Amino acid sequence: VQLQASGGGLVQAGDSLRLSCAASGTFLRIDDMKWCRQAPGKQRDLVAQITRGGSTDYADSVKGRFTISRDDYKRSVSLQMDSLKLEDTAVYYCRVSGLLLDWRQLDFWGQGTQVTVSS
């Protein structure tokens, strides 16, 4: 199983970006899908998550600006980021919890994609 993240880049404050993450490999079921981020010198924090049922949750710092969505047919999760701020600069990671064919429940991380917001 692999997760391939894309969509990062350099933008100005106030701009928008859309991150995407696609899972390859075989799952019996994909459960929670998340986006986390890690700024230089800081710990990796949860940004947004979405359950199988579509329930979402966001970090307070991104509420009203970021929107997480999933496409179970494509086995992908996206993060629409609007009104970007300087403090959103970080490496963004997708994380997927899935049930494999051997019935193991595991979490998988994508490789990270850099988002840099400039003034």
Side-chain angles (χ1 to χ4, degrees):
V1 173
Q2 289 187 327
L3 301 181
Q4 183 66 44
S6 61
L10 172 63
V11 296
Q12 291 188 322
D15 285 350
S16 298
L17 272 178
R18 185 176 181 86
L19 306 182
S20 295
C21 176
S24 61
T26 304
F27 292 91
L28 282 177
R29 187 184 69 231
I30 294 179
D31 296 313
D32 294 351
M33 306 179 87
K34 304 178 181 181
W35 285 98
C36 302
R37 68 185 180 187
Q38 187 167 20
K42 296 187 177 182
Q43 66 181 19
R44 190 174 298 186
D45 292 325
L46 177 66
V47 174
Q49 61 182 358
I50 184 167
T51 68
R52 283 184 66 214
S55 297
T56 59
D57 194 21
Y58 298 91
D60 288 341
S61 59
V62 307
K63 282 182 180 177
R65 299 188 298 120
F66 290 11
T67 304
I68 190 171
S69 60
R70 60 189 287 165
D71 185 331
D72 288 326
Y73 181 75
K74 296 180 179 179
R75 296 187 299 180
S76 66
V77 58
S78 297
L79 185 68
Q80 177 66 39
M81 305 185 294
D82 298 321
S83 303
L84 283 162
K85 302 178 179 180
L86 298 179
E87 53 264 39
D88 294 320
T89 295
V91 178
Y92 284 70
Y93 299 89
C94 56
R95 178 176 173 177
V96 171
S97 176
L99 184 65
L100 302 182
L101 292 179
D102 59 5
W103 297 97
R104 289 182 296 158
Q105 181 81 37
L106 294 176
D107 290 340
F108 300 91
W109 288 93
Q111 84 280 13
T113 183
Q114 176 70 46
V115 172
T116 302
V117 184
S118 65
S119 59

